[in-house]
Amino acid sequence: MAITLKINGQDRQVDAAEGTPLLWVLRDHLKMNGTRFGCGVAQCGACTVHVDGLPVRACITPHDALEGAEITTIEGKQGAVADAVRAAWVASDVPQCGYCQSGQIMAAVALLEENTDPSDEDIDTAMSGNICRCATYMSIRRAIKDAAQTL
Amino acid sequence: MLIRDLGIIPADDSLASAAPTAPPIEIGNFSRRGFMATSGILVIGLSLAGCAPGEEARLDDAAVAESPLTGVKGGDATPALWISITDTGIVKVTCHRSEMGQQVWTSMAQIVADELEADWDDVEIVQALGHPKYGDQNTDGSRSVRFNFHRLRVAGAAMRTMLEQAAAERWDVYPAQCKAQQSRVINTVNNDSLAFADLAEGASKLAVPAETDIRLKARDEWRYIGKPIASVTVPRIVKGDGAYGMDVERPGMVYAVVARPPQVFGKTGVVNDVATLAVPGVLRTVRLPNAMPPAAFNSLGGVAVVASDTWAAIQGRNALDVEWLDGPNADHDSDVYRAAMEDTARQPGKVQRNRGDAIAALASAEQTLVAEYYAPHLAHAPMEPPSATAEWKDGKLECWACVQDPQTTRSTLAAVLSVEADDITVHATWLGGAFGRKSKPDFVVEAARISREIGKPVKVIWTREDDLQHDYYHSVSAQRFEGVLDENGKCTAYLHRSVFPTISSTFVPGADNPSAGEMGLGATDTPFDVPNLRIESGKAPAHLRIGWLRSVSNIYHVFGVQSFAAELAHAAGRDQKDYLLDLIGGPRLIDPNAEGADYDNYGGDLEEYPIDTARLAQVTKRAAAMANWGRVLPDGHGLGIAVHRSFLSYVATAIEVVVDAEGNLTIPGVWLAVDAGTVVNPKHVKAQMEGGTLYGLSNALYGEISAKKGAVVQSNFPNWRVMRMAEAPRSFEVEIVESTASPAGVGEPGTPPAAPALANAIFAATGKRYRSLPILGPNGRRLSLDDSQDS
Ligand code: FES
Ligand code: FES
C-alpha cells in the first residue's frame, strides 16, 4: 500500500510491502544510497538516519511506522552542526573506505546537537553503536572534538 | 597476492586477450572541480578518432603496444594509458587499482600529477576497467605504490616532456628552454606561458619519448609525492554519495540473495519454494549449480531468490524450504580439528629453513622452553558485504562490483561461464573495505549466473550472515616453539613448527602442506641471530574455503614468534625490548634461501628489498622511545612490544594496557614506528598503521570463526565481535622513518605486530601469558586472572 513519508523535508510516495525496513525503502525504492547496509540487525550503525531528530537504525525500523515523522538521511542533513562535522571530517581526512561514515556522521551530528562539549565517555556512549572496520575511531574522536570547538 | 606466488592459478591475463575498452563508468569519475564526465574534449593521451565532445575516448591499444615505454620497470608507462588532458584543462588520471580505503585514487594521482607538473585542482580520477593492458590490477599484497611508483612517474614525466616539446615548437625555442609548471608550460626565455589545454593537441602528435630521454624530478622537486595531500574521495563520502558495489543501479534491475549450502561442497537437495514465491515482491527462484572442488572463485551453489527489492529477497529466502545434502566436510568440527593440529605440531615436520643443528641442541639441553600458540580462523568482515551487479546483453556480460582485482574477475567469469573475455566488461566500484575478501570474485560469478538465467540485470547482495558464513577464511593455526638458553640467557637453539590449512587447498583439491609462500610470511623470514635455528611446517587438511586476509600468515606466525621472543626474555630474566634487540642482533642482511628456505620476499628483489636487521632494530628502538619504554608504570599497567618486517616494510608496535582488579582491559596508548621506504602520502601511512593495528587487535581480542558439522557457527556482529569506539586505544602515535629506499607496502604491515604486542603487554601487566586467541572472544568482558598461564 502506498504511503507518504517525509524525507529530507520532501513528501515521498512509497509503495513497499508492509513492514519493509526504512533502509531498503531508501536504497531500493528511492535510490537514496547514502544510508548503508552493514548488518541488518541494529549492530553496526551503518544505516543510521534521524527520525524527528534522533538517531535511528533504518535496518530494523519498518517504514510504515514512520508516517508523519521527519526522516533525515545523510544526503539531506544540514545545519550548523552538520556543517561543522563535515568540515572536521574533511579537514582531518577521517574516512578510509568511507562505507561506515554516513552512519558515523549521522551519529556524531546527533551527539553534538545534544551536547556541544562531549567528553570521551560521551563520545564512547554515542558512537559505540557504529562499527568502523577500517578502524577510524581515533580520527572520529578527534574530529568530533574539532567540530565541537567550532560550535 | 598469494595465488600467483604459489603458482596455483595462471596469471590474470592468460584467459583474457586484448579487448576494446568501454567508457569508464561515471561513478569512477571525480575531480576537485566536481563531476566533469562531460567536461571537455580529450585532446591528448587518447586516440581522437570518433571521439565526440563529451564522450570518453577509447584507448588506442595499438598506440600503447607501439610505445617505447612498454618495457619500464613496473610495467607499461605509455602516457596514453594513464593520462588524458581535455581542451578545458582537466587532467584525467586513470587509476587501475581498486579504491578500498587505502586512498589509492589519491596516491596514484599524486605520483602522476607530480611528474606531469599538473595543478592538483585540475586532476580528475578515472577508474580503469579490468583489462590486461594495465598490467597487474590485483589490489592486494600492499603493492599499489610499490608496483606503480616508477612507471607512473615515467608516464607523468613523458607527458610533461611532450607538452614542453609542443611549447618549444610553438615558440620556436629549444625544449630545454621550456618548463612545465602547474598545468602551464613557461618559456624561460621571455616568461610567456601556455596552458596544458592549449598545448595538448600539439603534444598528442608527437612521438612518445624513450625512457632515456625523460628526466624524472629530483626528490627535492617533488610537489605532491611525500606530502599529506587531502584525499580526493572524502568530500564525496561526507555527503553520502554512493559509489560502492552495493550502490550500483541499472535500469530494470532486480535484487537477489542466495541460500547457500552450509557446508563447503554440500549439495542442494529438494527445494520447496511455494512459501517463498508467496512473499510479496519475490519474482522467482534460481537453482545454482552445486560447487565442485576446487572451490577457486566459483560460486557455492544453492538457490537464489530474486525479488523486486532486497528485503523481499531476504524474506523470500527465510521462507525457503531447502534440503541440504552433506558433502565431504560434514564432519568438520573446530574443537576436534584444533586437537589434531596441536598434535601435528608436536611431531617432526617438513624442514623449511635450517641453520646449525637445533634438534641436537634441544636434545642435549638440560632445560628447554616450550610454548604452543593457537590462532583461530578469521573472517574479513569488510563493512560493505560483497555485492555484485551483472547484466547480459546480446551474449555480452557487463558487471559492476566491489572487486579488488577486476582482471581476475574477468578471467574467472570467462572460464566458469565459457564466455570470451572480450565479451566481458568488469567495472570496479569503490570498495567498502575489502581486506582480501574482495579479491575473490565468487559473488560476481553468482550475479552473472543469475542474470543469465533470468535475462535481467540483477544485483546480488550478501547479508552479513552470508559474509561471515561463506567467507574465504584466514587459516586457523597451531604454532609450536622450542628454545634453549645458555647460562647467560642467550638463545642458542630455536625451533618453530607451523601447522595450518593452506590457501593452496582452495585451488588444488586435497592440498594439505603449508606452502613456501605462506611460510615466508613470518616464519622462514625469522631474523633472529641464534646459532641453531630450524623452521618446520606440518600438514593440515582444509574443510572450509581458505583465503588470504590482511597480512595473511604473518598474523599467526608473528603472534607466535614475537610472543615466544618475550617468553625467552622472561625466562632469561631480561627486559623484553632489550632481549628482542639481542635476538635481532647486529646489523646484517638475511637471506633465508641460503639456509634452505624457498623464500620469495613478497616478489621483491632481495638486493632492492633486503631483510635488513638494522632497520628492524631501528623501528624497535624508536617505538620503544616513543612509548617511553622503561618508565615506572602504575599497578595494573603493562607495556609490550613486537616488531616485524612484512610486505617489505618494518613495523614496531608498543602497546600499553591497563588491567584492573576485575580484569577489565583498556588500551591507553599505542606507539608505532614504521619504515616503509619512500612514502607517497604520510597521511595514508598513518591511517593504514592505525587501521591495520586495530584490525589486528580486534581479531586478537574477539575474533574467532569456528565450525560445527562443517558449517560456520558465527553469523553476525553479536557473535562475530569487532572492536568499537569505546574499546579503541585512547591515543595512537605513528612515527614514519625518513627513508629514500624503494617504496614498500603499508596496507598490511601494521597488522602482524598488534596481537603479540598486546599479549606481551597483558603479560607485563598481569603475569598471565595468553597463547590462545582470541583473548576475550565474542562474549568476554574481562580477562580471567585466576591462573597464571592459559592453555
Ligand atoms: S545495518 Fe542497521 S545497524 Fe547495521
Ligand atoms: S571507513 Fe571503512 S568502515 Fe569505516
Side-chain angles (χ1 to χ4, degrees):
Chain A
M1 192 193 66
I3 63 166
T4 302
L5 294 179
K6 194 163 184 198
I7 302 172
N8 298 333
Q10 288 184 325
D11 284 343
R12 304 291 302 260
Q13 289 285 314
V14 175
D15 190 2
E18 204 181 311
T20 302
L22 176 65
L23 173 65
W24 302 112
V25 167
L26 290 171
R27 293 184 58 81
D28 295 351
H29 291 253
L30 300 173
K31 313 295 180 198
M32 296 174 69
N33 282 325
T35 305
R36 314 279 182 209
F37 166 64
C39 71
V41 293
Q43 288 291 312
C44 77
C47 65
T48 306
V49 298
H50 293 182
V51 174
D52 295 331
L54 293 174
V56 160
R57 304 290 185 241
C59 68
I60 55 153
T61 307
H63 77 287
D64 32 1
L66 298 172
E67 264 182 299
E70 295 270 355
I71 302 164
T72 310
T73 71
I74 183 74
E75 291 95 341
K77 187 65 199 174
Q78 286 166 357
V81 173
D83 289 349
V85 166
R86 285 200 178 93
W89 250 242
V90 171
S92 50
D93 270 354
V94 168
Q96 288 187 29
C97 81
Y99 192 80
C100 72
Q101 298 290 339
S102 297
Q104 304 284 359
I105 288 170
M106 294 303 277
V109 170
L111 165 66
L112 290 171
E113 282 178 342
E114 276 286 299
N115 175 357
T116 52
D117 186 22
S119 65
D120 277 336
E121 287 63 38
D122 296 333
I123 293 173
D124 286 347
T125 306
M127 302 303 293
S128 279
N130 289 75
I131 292 171
C132 176
R133 283 295 276 159
C134 301
T136 60
Y137 299 124
M138 282 82 61
S139 298
I140 290 172
R141 184 186 299 281
R142 190 171 52 243
I144 289 175
K145 291 181 175 176
D146 289 349
Q149 291 273 307
T150 68
L151 290 170
Chain B
M1 114 179 153
L2 275 167
I3 45 173
R4 251 190 251 165
D5 299 347
L6 298 167
I8 285 159
I9 62 165
D12 305 335
D13 46 1
S14 64
L15 292 162
S17 53
T21 309
I25 46 167
E26 200 169 310
I27 57 175
N29 286 344
F30 174 76
S31 146
R32 284 171 52 81
R33 292 180 179 178
F35 283 97
M36 301 208 172
T38 56
S39 57
I41 310 170
L42 298 163
V43 290
I44 189 169
L46 298 161
S47 160
L48 285 168
C51 179
E55 186 194 339
E56 291 284 355
R58 282 159 197 266
L59 267 177
D60 184 342
D61 289 340
V64 171
E66 283 162 15
S67 167
L69 293 175
T70 48
V72 166
K73 180 188 150 203
D76 199 330
T78 309
L81 208 47
W82 307 106
I83 307 159
S84 55
I85 298 172
T86 70
D87 62 350
T88 53
I90 306 300
V91 176
K92 297 193 176 196
V93 176
T94 298
C95 180
H96 64 305
R97 314 288 287 187
S98 293
E99 176 57 70
M100 51 197 194
Q102 83 284 41
Q103 315 306 331
V104 76
W105 273 23
T106 306
S107 56
M108 294 295 108
Q110 278 180 262
I111 299 167
V112 172
D114 200 324
E115 288 290 352
L116 177 59
E117 265 298 325
D119 183 331
W120 186 248
D121 285 342
D122 296 337
V123 173
E124 172 181 321
I125 317 298
V126 179
Q127 180 71 46
L129 295 169
H131 196 283
K133 69 184 162 201
Y134 295 110
D136 184 295
Q137 288 183 275
N138 185 11
T139 317
D140 205 307
S142 301
R143 299 176 299 193
S144 289
V145 167
R146 167 156 75 100
F147 277 8
N148 295 290
F149 185 68
H150 181 71
R151 75 193 290 214
L152 292 184
R153 287 182 69 199
V154 171
M159 183 69 96
R160 165 177 32 89
T161 306
M162 291 160 76
L163 289 160
E164 286 171 346
Q165 270 173 17
E169 284 178 16
R170 284 273 281 273
W171 289 318
D172 200 16
V173 298
Y174 292 109
Q177 292 170 315
C178 299
K179 191 170 166 42
Q181 207 177 332
Q182 296 290 278
S183 293
R184 300 189 74 79
V185 177
I186 318 286
N187 182 338
T188 57
V189 180
N190 60 11
N191 260 341
D192 270 3
S193 74
L194 282 165
F196 280 6
D198 299 323
L199 292 166
E201 190 173 357
S204 71
K205 301 194 170 102
L206 299 171
V208 174
E211 193 177 0
T212 44
D213 295 331
I214 294 165
R215 190 188 79 88
L216 293 179
K217 286 179 170 184
R219 259 169 202 267
D220 60 3
E221 294 175 291
W222 285 346
R223 240 178 236 288
Y224 309 130
I225 298 171
K227 306 293 190 301
I229 302 281
S231 162
V232 298
T233 59
V234 168
R236 281 179 69 177
I237 288 168
V238 299
K239 290 188 281 190
D241 194 355
Y244 300 95
M246 279 276 177
D247 301 335
V248 174
E249 300 287 347
R250 298 296 302 164
M253 183 180 86
V254 292
Y255 301 79
V257 297
V258 179
R260 300 173 189 84
Q263 303 159 11
V264 177
F265 307 129
K267 292 185 177 11
T268 308
V270 178
V271 178
N272 177 347
D273 62 4
V274 173
T276 298
L277 296 173
V279 170
V282 169
L283 302 169
R284 59 173 290 184
T285 60
V286 176
R287 210 173 155 129
L288 296 170
N290 288 324
M292 305 284 285
F297 300 139
N298 212 334
S299 51
L300 280 168
V303 182
V305 178
V306 182
S308 57
D309 67 24
T310 309
W311 181 248
I314 293 171
Q315 297 303 102
R317 182 172 69 175
N318 289 344
L320 194 66
D321 182 9
V322 196
E323 176 198 20
W324 299 119
L325 306 177
D326 279 350
N329 299 307
D331 295 334
H332 179 48
D333 178 294
S334 288
D335 292 337
V336 176
Y337 189 84
R338 173 178 182 160
M341 268 197 322
E342 288 174 339
D343 197 45
T344 303
R346 290 171 197 137
Q347 319 299 326
K350 181 179 174 201
V351 181
Q352 299 271 0
R353 181 178 165 199
N354 188 59
R355 175 196 308 155
D357 191 345
I359 300 296
L362 282 159
S364 64
E366 267 171 38
Q367 241 192 343
T368 61
L369 186 69
V370 177
E372 294 180 344
Y373 303 87
Y374 175 81
H377 280 300
L378 299 170
H380 303 79
M383 206 66 227
E384 175 198 35
S387 179
T389 301
E391 180 170 357
W392 290 86
K393 222 181 249 164
D394 309 324
K396 293 185 196 296
L397 170 65
E398 191 162 7
C399 295
W400 297 258
C402 46
V403 286
Q404 287 174 253
D405 189 352
Q407 271 183 54
T408 294
T409 304
R410 190 165 174 258
S411 56
T412 298
L413 290 166
V416 303
L417 301 171
S418 304
V419 180
E420 291 294 319
D422 285 5
D423 291 333
I424 301 173
T425 306
V426 177
H427 304 267
T429 62
W430 280 359
L431 282 54
F435 314 122
R437 172 61 182 93
K438 293 171 181 173
S439 51
K440 295 93 173 169
D442 57 329
F443 54 104
V444 193
V445 174
E446 288 181 337
R449 287 189 193 282
I450 298 165
S451 177
R452 184 156 70 174
E453 185 68 25
I454 67 174
K456 282 188 181 144
V458 64
K459 174 153 70 178
V460 168
I461 287 110
W462 283 47
T463 62
R464 182 59 62 195
E465 290 80 3
D466 298 334
D467 174 53
L468 291 174
Q469 302 203 313
H470 302 286
D471 197 359
Y472 288 81
Y473 301 97
H474 168 77
S475 303
V476 60
S477 81
Q479 310 287 318
R480 182 181 169 92
F481 293 80
E482 298 179 20
V484 177
L485 300 180
D486 69 13
E487 63 278 13
N488 300 317
K490 184 175 161 34
C491 180
T492 54
Y494 175 97
L495 170 74
H496 173 192
R497 197 174 292 131
S498 178
V499 182
F500 56 90
T502 174
I503 292 168
S504 313
S505 62
T506 297
F507 304 96
V508 180
D512 60 0
N513 260 317
S515 69
E518 290 162 305
M519 291 299 292
L521 308 176
T524 52
D525 52 350
T526 297
F528 294 158
D529 185 14
V530 293
N532 303 292
L533 175 139
R534 188 178 176 98
I535 316 290
E536 295 180 1
S537 61
K539 290 183 178 197
H543 299 293
L544 298 171
R545 295 192 297 181
I546 309 295
W548 50 101
L549 172 146
R550 196 177 199 168
S551 84
V552 204
S553 312
N554 287 296
I555 294 176
Y556 42 81
H557 285 148
V558 178
F559 172 60
V561 170
Q562 292 287 310
S563 294
F564 189 62
E567 297 212 45
L568 290 169
H570 181 69
R574 300 273 312 280
D575 173 79
Q576 195 224 316
K577 181 260 301 179
D578 291 345
Y579 195 84
L580 180 57
L581 287 168
D582 282 356
L583 273 177
I584 293 167
R588 66 199 189 286
L589 304 183
I590 291 172
D591 180 2
N593 293 322
E595 293 170 344
D598 179 6
Y599 179 66
D600 89 332
N601 198 34
Y602 300 89
D605 183 6
L606 270 171
E607 296 266 313
E608 185 180 7
Y609 292 104
I611 302 178
D612 183 343
T613 58
R615 291 171 79 183
L616 263 179
Q618 183 185 33
V619 290
T620 306
K621 288 176 192 162
R622 288 178 88 144
M626 290 163 72
N628 197 6
W629 190 273
R631 68 190 139 101
V632 179
L633 292 165
D635 265 6
H637 288 238
L639 264 177
I641 195 166
V643 65
H644 185 54
R645 170 189 180 274
S646 64
F647 305 88
L648 312 174
S649 285
Y650 301 78
V651 175
T653 308
I655 295 181
E656 183 172 352
V657 299
V658 183
V659 183
D660 70 15
E662 277 84 53
N664 293 299
L665 170 82
T666 49
I667 303 174
V670 178
W671 299 269
L672 183 150
V674 52
D675 176 353
T678 298
V679 161
V680 169
N681 190 320
K683 277 208 224 192
H684 301 174
V685 177
K686 182 168 192 296
Q688 288 306 304
M689 291 305 127
E690 290 183 0
T693 300
L694 267 62
Y695 196 82
L697 291 177
S698 179
N699 288 333
L701 285 167
Y702 316 119
E704 175 164 29
I705 290 290
S706 56
K708 288 263 177 265
K709 294 198 171 71
V712 168
V713 173
Q714 290 72 21
S715 57
N716 207 320
F717 288 122
N719 54 15
W720 170 260
R721 184 176 167 193
V722 299
M723 182 170 267
R724 291 170 184 270
M725 175 66 89
E727 299 150 343
R730 272 295 191 270
S731 119
F732 198 119
E733 288 175 30
V734 176
E735 204 174 294
I736 301 170
V737 173
E738 292 279 340
S739 170
T740 55
S742 296
V746 299
E748 297 168 87
T751 302
L758 175 72
N760 292 340
I762 293 172
F763 180 78
T766 67
K768 178 162 165 128
R769 172 60 61 184
Y770 279 86
R771 298 198 186 97
S772 178
L773 299 179
I775 289 169
L776 287 170
N779 304 314
R781 298 292 146 190
R782 302 194 175 111
L783 300 176
S784 70
L785 301 172
D786 38 8
D787 53 349
S788 66
Q789 308 244 308
D790 80 334
S791 63

